[in-house]
Amino acid sequence: MIFSLPHSLPRGIIIAGNWKMNFGPKETETFLVALEKRSQTTLSTETREALKRGHLRACLLPPLISLEKAISLQKQISFPVQFAAQNAHWEREGAFTGEISGSMLQEIGVHSVLIGHSERRQFFGETNTTARLRTESLLQQGFQVILCLGENQVERETGKTEEVLTRQLLELIPDPRKGIASFLITRKLILAYEPIWAIGTGLTASPEQAEDAHLKIRNFLSQHVSQEASQLTPILYGGSVTPEKSRTLLSCSNVDGALIGGASLKVENFISFLNLGGELLKTKTHL
Ligand code: PGA
């Protein structure tokens, strides 16, 4: 399943749980069984309806080894939840030890991929160029891509946030008139602002910092791609989102959801993020 969003639908709210290197197949099953059980009593009616209408979307990103198990349990969950991969290679097959291709993911029913996460950049040599190659190839293969960008601490402290985001966007979306850019208005390409200094550190961007960065990204899209792409593209915030801090972040008008790491590993947290999304939807008046 992918988020298929016709133009008439608003950007809505996306709650995505990035499990990183946590939860093998057995723990994945335990989580999903508990999610279904708890959601029966704790998922609000407005949230359930928003999920069914597609205005609120739930996504989980298990490690590759657990994806097939997650997909096999998908039908037992009484509300729509999508499973996405945390990475994939741009080539369709070949001598790339340790990598996985889009067609392998499609074979097990996965149609969405996270690309360019800062941990891939920091520990595994991902660059804007390789993130772009992955994104281009996966979009062409029919995937939905959540593409990450964001500045590091030194860049923020030296006032370079806008410069860094612009450079990343120019390198990730080099030709605004074709290629990757054309997937923005169909919501096949979603962006995630993930300030590196906030990821896994307990330091969350303030709502003002998040809103400001999202606005900068939206301004870039309106200047370099199109007004339509700027208005239609969901932009998620990621970086130490907790149930306590999520309300003010998700209330920002240009924040269309959250990419949540550590805090998404608890079933009750994931449900409370979804309920918050269901509640805040009515305040999202854009489009
Ligand atoms: P965190 O991770 O919520 O644990 O900071 C966020 C992310 O990596 O997307």
Side-chain angles (χ1 to χ4, degrees), residues 68-115:
E68 203 168 359
K69 170 58 81 184
I71 297 283
S72 74
L73 292 165
Q74 200 168 28
K75 286 199 183 70
Q76 293 173 37
I77 300 173
S78 58
F79 60 90
V81 56
Q82 168 188 331
F83 295 103
Q86 297 173 18
N87 188 31
H89 201 268
W90 56 88
E91 291 292 345
R92 299 186 183 215
E93 60 187 1
F96 301 101
T97 303
E99 289 286 331
I100 192 131
S101 72
S103 59
M104 293 171 190
L105 291 172
Q106 277 165 342
E107 196 178 320
I108 61 161
V110 174
H111 303 285
S112 297
V113 187
L114 180 71
I115 293 295

Side-chain angles (χ1 to χ4, degrees), residues 38-168:
R38 298 277 309 238
S39 72
Q40 298 285 352
T41 50
T42 52
L43 205 61
S44 72
T45 311
E46 70 182 341
T47 299
R48 218 170 255 285
E49 271 164 22
L51 284 163
K52 290 217 167 107
R53 283 201 317 272
H55 290 200
L56 172 66
R57 280 147 287 145
C59 178
L60 287 168
L61 296 96
L64 279 171
I65 190 99
S66 305
L67 266 170
E68 203 168 359
K69 170 58 81 184
I71 297 283
S72 74
L73 292 165
Q74 200 168 28
K75 286 199 183 70
Q76 293 173 37
I77 300 173
S78 58
F79 60 90
V81 56
Q82 168 188 331
F83 295 103
Q86 297 173 18
N87 188 31
H89 201 268
W90 56 88
E91 291 292 345
R92 299 186 183 215
E93 60 187 1
F96 301 101
T97 303
E99 289 286 331
I100 192 131
S101 72
S103 59
M104 293 171 190
L105 291 172
Q106 277 165 342
E107 196 178 320
I108 61 161
V110 174
H111 303 285
S112 297
V113 187
L114 180 71
I115 293 295
H117 189 278
S118 72
E119 284 152 15
R120 298 296 317 165
R121 294 170 187 260
Q122 196 180 345
F123 303 122
F124 304 102
E126 182 87 291
T127 61
N128 288 331
T129 304
T130 55
R132 178 178 55 74
L133 286 171
R134 292 181 207 278
T135 303
E136 267 169 4
S137 168
L138 291 161
L139 287 169
Q140 277 155 14
Q141 292 174 68
F143 280 86
Q144 181 170 59
V145 173
I146 303 173
L147 180 58
C148 303
L149 68 158
E151 80 288 358
N152 66 30
Q153 187 148 19
V154 174
E155 290 160 346
R156 169 146 298 262
E157 282 167 1
T158 51
K160 297 214 172 92
T161 300
E162 181 159 14
E163 187 187 318
V164 171
L165 293 178
T166 303
R167 193 184 60 237
Q168 288 179 341

Side-chain angles (χ1 to χ4, degrees), residues 16-20 61 114 117-119 148 192-204 237-242 258-265 273:
N18 176 13
W19 287 357
K20 310 190 180 189
L61 296 96
L114 180 71
H117 189 278
S118 72
E119 284 152 15
C148 303
Y193 169 61
E194 295 232 318
I196 296 166
W197 50 271
I199 296 175
T201 57
L203 295 172
T204 315
Y237 167 80
S240 297
V241 176
T242 60
L259 183 58
I260 308 151
S264 72
L265 296 170
F273 290 127

Side-chain angles (χ1 to χ4, degrees), residues 26-38:
K26 274 199 197 120
E27 289 164 302
T28 295
E29 180 167 8
T30 305
F31 182 99
L32 294 176
V33 168
L35 178 66
E36 173 53 16
K37 198 164 167 223
R38 298 277 309 238

